[in-house]
Amino acid sequence: MTADRQKTKQLLSTARGQIDGILKMIEENRYCIDVSNQIMACQAILSKVNKMVLHNHLQCCVLNAQGDDAKAKMEEISAILDKLL
């Protein structure tokens, strides 16, 4: 993966911190809506990171693939899009 690794690592570290915070909120029996809001914030970060990774995959792996490898890469990205949509 050649995406902006520092940005990716930073976002994933933030998500990890949010998950730790969510676990603590649950242990403290915090208000459900507050917990849900934190879960959605974490999901948004993970979604952003996934978009970055997939964009990088398209720009590097798929764009540079040749022959049968190109077909395989297109099938992979198609399968991922099916899951996302």
Side-chain angles (χ1 to χ4, degrees):
M1 186 180 106
T2 58
D4 185 353
R5 290 179 188 203
Q6 188 61 32
K7 180 71 172 174
T8 300
K9 287 173 61 176
Q10 180 183 14
L11 287 168
L12 288 173
S13 292
T14 299
R16 180 178 23 197
Q18 283 184 317
I19 290 171
D20 289 341
I22 293 165
L23 289 168
K24 185 176 179 184
M25 291 174 77
I26 290 170
E27 289 171 0
E28 295 172 351
N29 200 30
R30 298 274 297 272
Y31 188 54
C32 298
I33 298 300
D34 293 340
V35 173
S36 180
N37 281 327
Q38 289 304 308
I39 290 169
M40 288 187 293
C42 188
Q43 287 173 324
I45 289 174
L46 292 174
S47 179
K48 181 176 182 174
V49 171
N50 194 32
K51 287 177 190 175
M52 289 170 59
V53 169
L54 291 174
H55 178 37
N56 178 72
H57 180 68
L58 287 170
Q59 293 296 318
C60 293
C61 302
V62 175
L63 191 61
N64 294 326
Q66 301 284 326
D68 288 340
D69 190 41
K71 183 177 179 183
K73 298 289 184 201
M74 291 303 292
E75 289 172 0
E76 286 175 337
I77 205 73
S78 181
I80 289 290
L81 291 174
D82 286 344
K83 290 177 186 178
L84 287 172
L85 302 174

